Amino acid sequence: PSDCAAHGGADAQRDRALQVVEPDQLIDRIQTVGADLVRAAPQELCIGNIVRRVLHIVREEVEGLMREQENEGSAQVAGDSAHEAGEKAAPKPTLGSFSTAPSLHHLLAAAIDQLREQPESFEMGSAVQEVKQPIIDGVNELIDELGSLVHSIAEQAPEHIHAREVILTMGKSRIVEAFLKRVAKTERQFEVIVADTAPSYEGAEVARRLSEVGIQTTLITDAAVFALMARVNKVIIGTHAVMADGGLLAPAGTLAVALAAQHHSVPFVVCAGIPQLTPIFPTDADDFNVLLSPAPVLSYDETGTLEVDAVSAAGAETEAGGRQVGGEGYAADSPNPVYDYVPPELISLFITNIGGTHASYIYRLLAEFYSQQDIHLRALNPTRM
Protein backbone atom coordinates (compact mmCIF):
# COMPACT_ATOMS: atom_id res chain seq x y z
CA PRO A 1 0.00 0.00 0.00
CA SER A 2 2.85 2.43 0.78
CA ASP A 3 4.38 1.89 -2.67
CA CYS A 4 1.06 2.59 -4.40
CA ALA A 5 0.51 5.68 -2.25
CA ALA A 6 3.97 7.00 -3.06
CA HIS A 7 3.49 6.52 -6.81
CA GLY A 8 0.04 8.10 -6.67
CA GLY A 9 1.33 11.10 -4.73
CA ALA A 10 4.18 11.71 -7.19
CA ASP A 11 1.86 11.39 -10.21
CA ALA A 12 -0.59 13.84 -8.69
CA GLN A 13 2.12 16.42 -8.07
CA ARG A 14 3.50 16.04 -11.62
CA ASP A 15 0.04 16.62 -13.06
CA ARG A 16 -0.24 19.71 -10.87
CA ALA A 17 3.06 21.04 -12.22
CA LEU A 18 1.70 20.84 -15.77
CA GLN A 19 -1.30 23.01 -14.94
CA VAL A 20 0.22 26.05 -13.24
CA VAL A 21 2.03 29.07 -14.65
CA GLU A 22 3.90 30.51 -11.65
CA PRO A 23 6.46 28.69 -9.40
CA ASP A 24 5.10 30.29 -6.23
CA GLN A 25 1.61 29.32 -7.33
CA LEU A 26 2.86 25.78 -7.94
CA ILE A 27 4.24 25.54 -4.39
CA ASP A 28 0.91 26.70 -2.95
CA ARG A 29 -1.04 24.18 -5.00
CA ILE A 30 1.32 21.31 -4.14
CA GLN A 31 0.88 22.12 -0.45
CA THR A 32 -2.91 22.21 -0.86
CA VAL A 33 -3.14 18.95 -2.81
CA GLY A 34 -0.59 17.32 -0.52
CA ALA A 35 -2.58 18.26 2.56
CA ASP A 36 -5.70 16.72 1.01
CA LEU A 37 -3.81 13.49 0.24
CA VAL A 38 -2.42 13.31 3.78
CA ARG A 39 -5.86 13.82 5.29
CA ALA A 40 -7.27 11.07 3.06
CA ALA A 41 -4.72 8.51 4.35
CA PRO A 42 -2.95 9.90 7.44
CA GLN A 43 -1.44 6.53 8.31
CA GLU A 44 0.50 6.46 5.01
CA LEU A 45 3.41 8.69 6.00
CA CYS A 46 5.10 8.20 2.64
CA ILE A 47 2.46 10.44 1.02
CA GLY A 48 3.62 13.41 3.06
CA ASN A 49 7.23 12.46 2.33
CA ILE A 50 6.62 12.49 -1.43
CA VAL A 51 4.90 15.88 -1.17
CA ARG A 52 7.95 17.23 0.65
CA ARG A 53 10.28 15.73 -1.95
CA VAL A 54 8.36 17.43 -4.77
CA LEU A 55 8.38 20.74 -2.90
CA HIS A 56 12.14 20.37 -2.44
CA ILE A 57 12.57 19.81 -6.19
CA VAL A 58 10.53 22.91 -7.00
CA ARG A 59 12.38 25.09 -4.51
CA GLU A 60 15.80 23.90 -5.72
CA GLU A 61 15.01 24.65 -9.36
CA VAL A 62 13.51 28.07 -8.63
CA GLU A 63 16.30 29.10 -6.27
CA GLY A 64 18.90 27.90 -8.77
CA LEU A 65 17.35 30.00 -11.52
CA MET A 66 17.18 33.04 -9.26
CA ARG A 67 20.86 32.67 -8.37
CA GLU A 68 21.77 32.47 -12.06
CA GLN A 69 19.74 35.60 -12.80
CA GLU A 70 21.32 37.47 -9.91
CA ASN A 71 24.83 36.43 -10.96
CA GLU A 72 24.20 37.48 -14.56
CA GLY A 73 22.70 40.78 -13.43
CA SER A 74 25.59 41.50 -11.06
CA ALA A 75 28.16 40.71 -13.74
CA GLN A 76 26.41 42.97 -16.25
CA VAL A 77 26.13 45.83 -13.76
CA ALA A 78 29.79 45.47 -12.77
CA GLY A 79 30.81 45.54 -16.45
CA ASP A 80 28.76 48.67 -17.13
CA SER A 81 30.22 50.37 -14.07
CA ALA A 82 33.76 49.59 -15.16
CA HIS A 83 33.05 50.94 -18.64
CA GLU A 84 31.58 54.19 -17.28
CA ALA A 85 34.43 54.60 -14.83
CA GLY A 86 36.92 54.17 -17.68
CA GLU A 87 35.22 56.88 -19.76
CA LYS A 88 35.31 59.34 -16.84
CA ALA A 89 38.97 58.68 -16.11
CA ALA A 90 41.66 61.31 -16.42
CA PRO A 91 43.03 62.35 -19.88
CA LYS A 92 45.45 60.05 -21.60
CA PRO A 93 48.64 60.03 -19.57
CA THR A 94 51.92 61.25 -20.90
CA LEU A 95 55.03 59.14 -20.93
CA GLY A 96 55.93 60.44 -17.51
CA SER A 97 52.60 59.78 -15.82
CA PHE A 98 50.86 56.66 -14.41
CA SER A 99 47.35 55.35 -15.26
CA THR A 100 45.28 53.61 -12.54
CA ALA A 101 42.26 51.33 -13.06
CA PRO A 102 39.05 51.98 -11.09
CA SER A 103 39.30 50.55 -7.57
CA LEU A 104 37.27 47.51 -6.51
CA HIS A 105 35.52 49.67 -3.92
CA HIS A 106 34.24 52.08 -6.58
CA LEU A 107 33.12 49.23 -8.85
CA LEU A 108 31.14 47.51 -6.06
CA ALA A 109 29.64 50.78 -4.89
CA ALA A 110 28.47 51.61 -8.40
CA ALA A 111 27.05 48.09 -8.84
CA ILE A 112 25.09 48.31 -5.60
CA ASP A 113 23.70 51.72 -6.54
CA GLN A 114 22.48 50.44 -9.90
CA LEU A 115 20.91 47.34 -8.34
CA ARG A 116 19.01 49.55 -5.91
CA GLU A 117 17.72 51.68 -8.76
CA GLN A 118 16.50 48.65 -10.75
CA PRO A 119 12.97 47.32 -10.20
CA GLU A 120 12.51 43.94 -8.56
CA SER A 121 13.12 41.62 -11.51
CA PHE A 122 14.11 38.42 -9.72
CA GLU A 123 10.82 37.47 -8.16
CA MET A 124 9.93 33.79 -7.85
CA GLY A 125 7.24 34.15 -10.46
CA SER A 126 9.60 35.33 -13.22
CA ALA A 127 11.02 33.23 -16.04
CA VAL A 128 8.41 30.53 -15.56
CA GLN A 129 9.16 28.53 -18.67
CA GLU A 130 12.79 28.17 -17.63
CA VAL A 131 11.92 26.20 -14.49
CA LYS A 132 8.77 24.38 -15.57
CA GLN A 133 10.49 21.67 -17.60
CA PRO A 134 13.29 21.06 -15.05
CA ILE A 135 10.64 20.66 -12.34
CA ILE A 136 8.73 18.12 -14.44
CA ASP A 137 11.99 16.29 -15.20
CA GLY A 138 12.81 16.21 -11.49
CA VAL A 139 9.42 14.72 -10.60
CA ASN A 140 9.81 12.14 -13.39
CA GLU A 141 13.18 11.16 -11.90
CA LEU A 142 11.46 10.75 -8.53
CA ILE A 143 8.85 8.46 -10.10
CA ASP A 144 11.61 6.42 -11.74
CA GLU A 145 13.34 6.18 -8.36
CA LEU A 146 10.16 4.77 -6.82
CA GLY A 147 9.91 2.21 -9.61
CA SER A 148 13.46 0.94 -9.14
CA LEU A 149 13.57 1.23 -5.34
CA VAL A 150 13.11 -2.46 -4.53
CA HIS A 151 15.65 -3.53 -7.15
CA SER A 152 18.22 -1.00 -5.90
CA ILE A 153 18.01 -2.32 -2.35
CA ALA A 154 17.95 -5.98 -3.37
CA GLU A 155 21.15 -5.60 -5.41
CA GLN A 156 23.04 -4.87 -2.18
CA ALA A 157 22.01 -8.17 -0.59
CA PRO A 158 25.11 -10.26 -1.54
CA GLU A 159 27.25 -7.77 0.41
CA HIS A 160 25.33 -8.39 3.65
CA ILE A 161 24.36 -12.08 3.63
CA HIS A 162 27.13 -14.65 3.51
CA ALA A 163 27.28 -18.43 3.15
CA ARG A 164 25.84 -20.58 5.94
CA GLU A 165 24.40 -17.63 7.81
CA VAL A 166 21.08 -17.78 9.66
CA ILE A 167 18.77 -14.81 9.01
CA LEU A 168 15.69 -13.99 11.06
CA THR A 169 12.87 -11.87 9.68
CA MET A 170 9.27 -11.02 10.51
CA GLY A 171 6.39 -9.24 8.85
CA LYS A 172 5.53 -9.07 5.16
CA SER A 173 7.88 -6.79 3.27
CA ARG A 174 8.29 -6.81 -0.49
CA ILE A 175 11.73 -5.24 -0.09
CA VAL A 176 13.00 -7.87 2.35
CA GLU A 177 11.57 -10.69 0.25
CA ALA A 178 13.38 -9.41 -2.85
CA PHE A 179 16.52 -8.88 -0.73
CA LEU A 180 16.60 -12.53 0.35
CA LYS A 181 15.68 -13.88 -3.08
CA ARG A 182 18.55 -11.90 -4.62
CA VAL A 183 21.02 -13.83 -2.45
CA ALA A 184 19.38 -17.11 -3.45
CA LYS A 185 20.23 -16.35 -7.09
CA THR A 186 23.94 -16.48 -6.19
CA GLU A 187 23.43 -20.12 -5.11
CA ARG A 188 24.79 -19.15 -1.70
CA GLN A 189 23.51 -21.49 0.99
CA PHE A 190 21.85 -19.77 3.95
CA GLU A 191 18.88 -20.28 6.23
CA VAL A 192 15.95 -17.98 7.00
CA ILE A 193 13.85 -18.13 10.15
CA VAL A 194 10.48 -16.41 9.75
CA ALA A 195 8.32 -15.36 12.69
CA ASP A 196 4.65 -15.93 11.96
CA THR A 197 3.71 -12.34 12.96
CA ALA A 198 0.48 -13.03 14.84
CA PRO A 199 -2.37 -12.23 14.66
CA SER A 200 -2.11 -11.56 10.90
CA TYR A 201 0.17 -14.59 10.37
CA GLU A 202 1.76 -12.94 7.35
CA GLY A 203 4.97 -14.83 8.13
CA ALA A 204 3.44 -18.08 6.84
CA GLU A 205 2.99 -16.59 3.36
CA VAL A 206 6.52 -15.16 3.40
CA ALA A 207 7.97 -18.52 4.42
CA ARG A 208 6.11 -20.26 1.60
CA ARG A 209 7.38 -17.80 -1.01
CA LEU A 210 10.98 -18.09 0.18
CA SER A 211 10.88 -21.88 0.19
CA GLU A 212 9.54 -21.88 -3.37
CA VAL A 213 12.81 -20.36 -4.62
CA GLY A 214 14.95 -22.92 -2.78
CA ILE A 215 15.74 -21.02 0.42
CA GLN A 216 15.89 -23.19 3.53
CA THR A 217 13.10 -21.66 5.61
CA THR A 218 11.81 -22.30 9.13
CA LEU A 219 8.51 -20.85 10.37
CA ILE A 220 8.32 -20.19 14.11
CA THR A 221 5.89 -18.54 16.48
CA ASP A 222 6.58 -15.05 17.75
CA ALA A 223 7.04 -16.44 21.26
CA ALA A 224 10.00 -18.57 20.08
CA VAL A 225 12.03 -15.62 18.74
CA PHE A 226 14.00 -15.05 21.94
CA ALA A 227 14.80 -18.74 22.33
CA LEU A 228 16.18 -19.04 18.78
CA MET A 229 17.94 -15.67 18.63
CA ALA A 230 21.16 -17.16 19.99
CA ARG A 231 21.74 -19.08 16.75
CA VAL A 232 20.85 -16.17 14.45
CA ASN A 233 23.58 -14.21 12.63
CA LYS A 234 21.47 -11.22 11.50
CA VAL A 235 17.95 -9.88 11.83
CA ILE A 236 16.69 -8.28 8.59
CA ILE A 237 13.28 -6.63 8.54
CA GLY A 238 11.26 -4.06 6.62
CA THR A 239 9.49 -1.06 8.09
CA HIS A 240 6.53 1.21 7.53
CA ALA A 241 8.45 4.44 8.18
CA VAL A 242 11.75 5.75 9.48
CA MET A 243 11.24 8.68 11.84
CA ALA A 244 13.42 11.78 12.13
CA ASP A 245 15.28 10.44 15.17
CA GLY A 246 16.25 7.25 13.32
CA GLY A 247 13.58 5.13 15.03
CA LEU A 248 11.16 2.83 13.25
CA LEU A 249 7.44 2.59 12.85
CA ALA A 250 7.37 -1.14 12.09
CA PRO A 251 4.85 -4.04 12.30
CA ALA A 252 3.67 -4.90 15.80
CA GLY A 253 6.07 -7.35 17.41
CA THR A 254 9.20 -5.78 15.89
CA LEU A 255 10.20 -4.16 19.19
CA ALA A 256 10.31 -7.55 20.92
CA VAL A 257 12.54 -8.90 18.13
CA ALA A 258 14.84 -5.87 18.38
CA LEU A 259 15.19 -6.26 22.14
CA ALA A 260 15.98 -9.96 21.75
CA ALA A 261 18.61 -9.12 19.11
CA GLN A 262 20.19 -6.54 21.40
CA HIS A 263 20.29 -9.02 24.29
CA HIS A 264 22.13 -11.58 22.14
CA SER A 265 24.31 -8.97 20.35
CA VAL A 266 22.82 -9.82 16.96
CA PRO A 267 22.93 -7.10 14.23
CA PHE A 268 19.50 -5.61 13.58
CA VAL A 269 19.31 -4.51 9.92
CA VAL A 270 16.45 -2.52 8.37
CA CYS A 271 15.69 -2.35 4.64
CA ALA A 272 13.95 0.93 3.80
CA GLY A 273 13.66 3.22 0.78
CA ILE A 274 14.38 6.93 0.89
CA PRO A 275 10.65 7.77 0.50
CA GLN A 276 10.09 6.07 3.87
CA LEU A 277 12.27 8.63 5.67
CA THR A 278 9.85 10.85 7.58
CA PRO A 279 11.11 14.21 8.92
CA ILE A 280 8.80 14.05 11.93
CA PHE A 281 9.85 13.22 15.47
CA PRO A 282 7.71 10.60 17.27
CA THR A 283 6.82 12.77 20.26
CA ASP A 284 3.95 10.38 20.93
CA ALA A 285 4.13 7.03 19.15
CA ASP A 286 0.38 6.54 19.64
CA ASP A 287 -0.26 9.46 17.27
CA PHE A 288 1.16 7.37 14.42
CA ASN A 289 -0.41 4.06 15.35
CA VAL A 290 -3.62 2.39 14.21
CA LEU A 291 -5.80 0.11 16.31
CA LEU A 292 -7.51 -2.67 14.37
CA SER A 293 -10.47 -4.78 15.34
CA PRO A 294 -9.73 -7.13 18.27
CA ALA A 295 -11.44 -9.99 16.43
CA PRO A 296 -8.14 -11.64 15.32
CA VAL A 297 -6.98 -11.60 18.97
CA LEU A 298 -10.25 -12.41 20.66
CA SER A 299 -12.88 -13.88 18.37
CA TYR A 300 -16.56 -13.19 18.81
CA ASP A 301 -17.25 -16.80 19.81
CA GLU A 302 -14.74 -16.51 22.66
CA THR A 303 -16.51 -13.48 24.06
CA GLY A 304 -19.52 -15.58 25.05
CA THR A 305 -18.07 -16.11 28.50
CA LEU A 306 -16.70 -12.57 28.77
CA GLU A 307 -19.39 -10.03 29.52
CA VAL A 308 -17.48 -6.87 28.73
CA ASP A 309 -19.23 -3.90 30.24
CA ALA A 310 -17.23 -0.72 30.82
CA VAL A 311 -19.65 0.47 33.50
CA SER A 312 -19.92 -2.78 35.43
CA ALA A 313 -16.17 -3.36 35.07
CA ALA A 314 -15.59 -0.93 37.92
CA GLY A 315 -16.95 -3.54 40.36
CA ALA A 316 -15.13 -5.28 43.18
CA GLU A 317 -12.00 -7.27 42.44
CA THR A 318 -12.17 -11.03 42.87
CA GLU A 319 -9.70 -13.13 44.77
CA ALA A 320 -8.04 -14.06 41.47
CA GLY A 321 -7.33 -10.42 40.76
CA GLY A 322 -9.86 -10.00 37.96
CA ARG A 323 -12.72 -7.50 37.89
CA GLN A 324 -16.09 -9.06 38.46
CA VAL A 325 -18.81 -8.17 35.99
CA GLY A 326 -22.46 -8.86 36.77
CA GLY A 327 -21.67 -11.92 38.86
CA GLU A 328 -20.16 -13.93 35.97
CA GLY A 329 -17.35 -13.48 33.48
CA TYR A 330 -14.56 -10.88 33.53
CA ALA A 331 -13.90 -7.63 31.75
CA ALA A 332 -11.31 -7.98 28.97
CA ASP A 333 -9.34 -5.51 26.89
CA SER A 334 -7.89 -6.76 23.58
CA PRO A 335 -5.93 -4.01 21.81
CA ASN A 336 -4.65 -4.88 18.34
CA PRO A 337 -2.13 -2.21 17.27
CA VAL A 338 -0.66 -2.26 13.77
CA TYR A 339 2.77 -0.80 14.55
CA ASP A 340 5.55 -0.80 17.11
CA TYR A 341 7.97 2.06 17.66
CA VAL A 342 11.58 0.82 17.70
CA PRO A 343 14.09 3.35 19.13
CA PRO A 344 17.23 4.10 17.07
CA GLU A 345 19.65 2.64 19.63
CA LEU A 346 18.37 -0.85 18.80
CA ILE A 347 19.13 -0.50 15.07
CA SER A 348 22.53 -1.54 13.67
CA LEU A 349 22.20 -0.55 10.01
CA PHE A 350 19.80 0.92 7.47
CA ILE A 351 20.02 -0.35 3.89
CA THR A 352 18.45 2.19 1.52
CA ASN A 353 18.27 2.46 -2.24
CA ILE A 354 21.29 4.79 -2.14
CA GLY A 355 23.41 2.64 0.18
CA GLY A 356 23.84 1.77 3.82
CA THR A 357 23.73 4.24 6.69
CA HIS A 358 23.52 4.35 10.46
CA ALA A 359 20.59 5.71 12.45
CA SER A 360 22.73 8.62 13.67
CA TYR A 361 23.13 9.85 10.06
CA ILE A 362 19.45 9.89 9.16
CA TYR A 363 19.40 13.64 9.77
CA ARG A 364 21.84 14.13 6.87
CA LEU A 365 19.55 12.30 4.46
CA LEU A 366 16.60 14.35 5.66
CA ALA A 367 18.53 17.57 5.03
CA GLU A 368 19.48 16.35 1.56
CA PHE A 369 16.01 15.36 0.36
CA TYR A 370 13.70 17.79 2.20
CA SER A 371 13.62 21.57 2.55
CA GLN A 372 13.58 22.89 6.09
CA GLN A 373 10.57 25.15 5.47
CA ASP A 374 8.44 22.15 4.41
CA ILE A 375 9.18 19.87 7.36
CA HIS A 376 6.94 21.46 9.96
CA LEU A 377 4.01 22.44 7.79
CA ARG A 378 1.01 21.87 9.97
CA ALA A 379 -1.13 20.80 7.01
CA LEU A 380 1.31 17.97 6.30
CA ASN A 381 1.60 16.65 9.85
CA PRO A 382 -0.42 13.47 10.52
CA THR A 383 -3.50 13.85 12.61
CA ARG A 384 -4.26 11.62 15.53
CA MET A 385 -5.61 8.32 14.33
Side-chain angles (χ1 to χ4, degrees):
S2 296
D3 295 339
C4 296
H7 276 282
D11 288 335
Q13 304 304 343
R14 180 181 58 183
D15 294 341
R16 184 64 57 184
L18 292 171
Q19 299 173 7
V20 299
V21 295
E22 298 287 343
D24 50 353
Q25 180 186 10
L26 175 60
I27 290 177
D28 292 339
R29 292 194 180 183
I30 290 176
Q31 291 173 336
T32 301
V33 175
D36 292 339
L37 293 173
V38 170
R39 282 194 295 267
Q43 72 279 3
E44 294 293 347
L45 299 180
C46 66
I47 295 179
N49 299 338
I50 292 298
V51 173
R52 294 182 179 93
R53 285 285 299 275
V54 174
L55 287 170
H56 181 68
I57 292 172
V58 175
R59 294 185 190 278
E60 274 197 330
E61 295 295 340
V62 173
E63 291 172 3
L65 177 62
M66 291 173 65
R67 283 193 298 268
E68 291 180 5
Q69 291 179 340
E70 290 174 359
N71 292 336
E72 292 174 359
S74 299
Q76 183 178 359
V77 170
D80 294 342
S81 300
H83 180 70
E84 292 177 3
E87 291 180 350
K88 296 178 181 179
K92 292 184 179 180
T94 62
L95 293 175
S97 63
F98 295 94
S99 61
T100 57
S103 67
L104 180 62
H105 171 75
H106 288 96
L107 290 176
L108 291 177
I112 292 174
D113 291 339
Q114 291 196 22
L115 284 175
R116 287 175 177 173
E117 294 173 359
Q118 287 181 346
E120 294 293 335
S121 57
F122 305 126
E123 296 295 331
M124 186 176 289
S126 65
V128 176
Q129 296 303 322
E130 295 187 43
V131 296
K132 186 172 183 179
Q133 191 57 45
I135 290 173
I136 295 174
D137 293 341
V139 177
N140 285 334
E141 290 178 4
L142 175 58
I143 295 174
D144 293 339
E145 176 188 332
L146 295 174
S148 61
L149 186 147
V150 175
H151 176 76
S152 299
I153 297 178
E155 285 301 307
Q156 305 173 54
E159 303 174 8
H160 298 278
I161 299 178
H162 307 97
R164 293 184 293 278
E165 282 193 336
V166 178
I167 309 299
L168 186 142
T169 188
M170 73 167 299
K172 183 180 179 182
S173 170
R174 191 162 61 97
I175 296 177
V176 173
E177 184 177 335
F179 193 85
L180 298 173
K181 289 181 177 180
R182 175 63 181 85
V183 182
K185 292 181 180 179
T186 65
E187 299 183 357
R188 191 176 297 173
Q189 297 298 318
F190 67 102
E191 181 183 353
V192 178
I193 298 176
V194 183
D196 60 3
T197 318
S200 63
Y201 299 103
E202 296 175 336
E205 182 180 355
V206 174
R208 177 182 60 81
R209 292 181 179 178
L210 295 178
S211 62
E212 288 176 351
V213 297
I215 300 176
Q216 184 180 350
T217 308
T218 303
L219 180 65
I220 64 172
T221 62
D222 297 337
V225 167
F226 188 86
L228 293 177
M229 188 63 72
R231 61 185 293 258
V232 172
N233 297 108
K234 289 185 183 74
V235 175
I236 301 178
I237 66 160
T239 184
H240 178 69
V242 180
M243 310 307 291
D245 64 343
L248 301 181
L249 200 62
T254 304
L255 178 58
V257 175
L259 292 171
Q262 182 190 50
H263 180 81
H264 291 279
S265 300
V266 175
F268 189 84
V269 181
V270 180
C271 295
I274 293 298
Q276 293 174 283
L277 302 185
T278 303
I280 302 175
F281 286 90
T283 53
D284 187 353
D286 291 339
D287 288 345
F288 301 92
N289 216 332
V290 179
L291 291 178
L292 299 179
S293 168
V297 180
L298 186 66
S299 67
Y300 181 79
D301 295 337
E302 294 173 329
T303 61
T305 58
L306 297 175
E307 294 182 8
V308 182
D309 187 340
V311 177
S312 302
E317 294 185 357
T318 64
E319 295 181 357
R323 292 179 297 175
Q324 189 173 8
V325 179
E328 60 180 359
Y330 297 90
D333 187 16
S334 302
N336 184 17
V338 176
Y339 304 118
D340 266 348
Y341 172 72
V342 181
E345 57 268 20
L346 300 180
I347 302 167
S348 304
L349 178 69
F350 283 99
I351 302 177
T352 71
N353 49 305
I354 61 173
T357 188
H358 190 264
S360 59
Y361 289 94
I362 290 297
Y363 76 97
R364 291 189 176 183
L365 295 177
L366 295 176
E368 179 180 353
F369 291 101
Y370 302 116
S371 297
Q372 186 66 32
Q373 57 265 47
D374 298 325
I375 291 177
H376 299 293
L377 292 177
R378 181 173 300 177
L380 298 182
N381 284 342
T383 57
R384 190 174 184 88
M385 290 168 269

